[in-house]
Amino acid sequence: MMTEIQQNIQQGSPLARSTVITSIKFAAASKQSNPESIDNLIPSLLDCLKDSDINIKKNVLVSLTAVAHNHYALLKLYIEELLVQSYEEVTFRPELVRTVDLGPFKH
């Protein structure tokens, strides 16, 4: 099953990929999860951080947060790459700012 998950992370529609990435979050949070199978998926998750779709990036970061909370030892080998890619994502990007008109106020 993990090979199918790994294949679906790399190919398919953005919605399908996002769903598969979210399933890793729930697998990492489960008490019955196998840490070895999650460890095999971490490089694929880190590759998805380079994706152009913002929803995929968001779901990858949420899934990696679940791994960090439940299986923190798995991230030791990837911490440097994870930090570099995460810091790139937290920079201010004006194209993501949305202005909302709330009557006399704009936020």
Side-chain angles (χ1 to χ4, degrees):
M1 182 165 184
M2 287 301 171
T3 56
E4 291 177 14
I5 289 175
Q6 210 160 23
Q7 289 173 354
N8 289 330
I9 288 175
Q10 303 300 330
Q11 53 190 319
S13 71
L15 181 60
R17 293 174 62 211
S18 184
T19 304
V20 171
I21 292 168
T22 303
S23 72
I24 297 169
K25 174 185 84 166
F26 291 110
S30 172
K31 300 293 182 197
Q32 301 169 350
S33 65
N34 183 4
E36 292 174 4
S37 60
I38 294 172
D39 188 32
N40 294 334
L41 296 173
I42 292 175
S44 299
L45 286 175
L46 291 174
D47 287 341
C48 289
L49 275 177
K50 300 172 187 167
D51 198 283
S52 61
D53 189 347
I54 191 73
N55 290 320
I56 290 178
K57 289 180 183 183
K58 179 188 78 135
N59 288 331
V60 168
L61 290 174
V62 169
S63 294
L64 287 172
T65 301
V67 172
H69 281 282
N70 296 290
H71 305 285
Y72 56 87
L74 298 178
L75 293 177
K76 280 184 180 179
L77 296 173
Y78 310 103
I79 194 70
E80 187 174 328
E81 182 181 354
L82 176 62
L83 287 176
V84 168
Q85 290 183 2
S86 296
Y87 287 147
E88 289 174 2
E89 291 304 316
V90 296
T91 58
F92 179 75
R93 292 190 291 182
E95 69 270 11
L96 297 177
V97 174
R98 183 177 65 163
T99 303
V100 179
D101 188 13
L102 298 172
F105 306 104
K106 288 192 178 191
H107 295 278

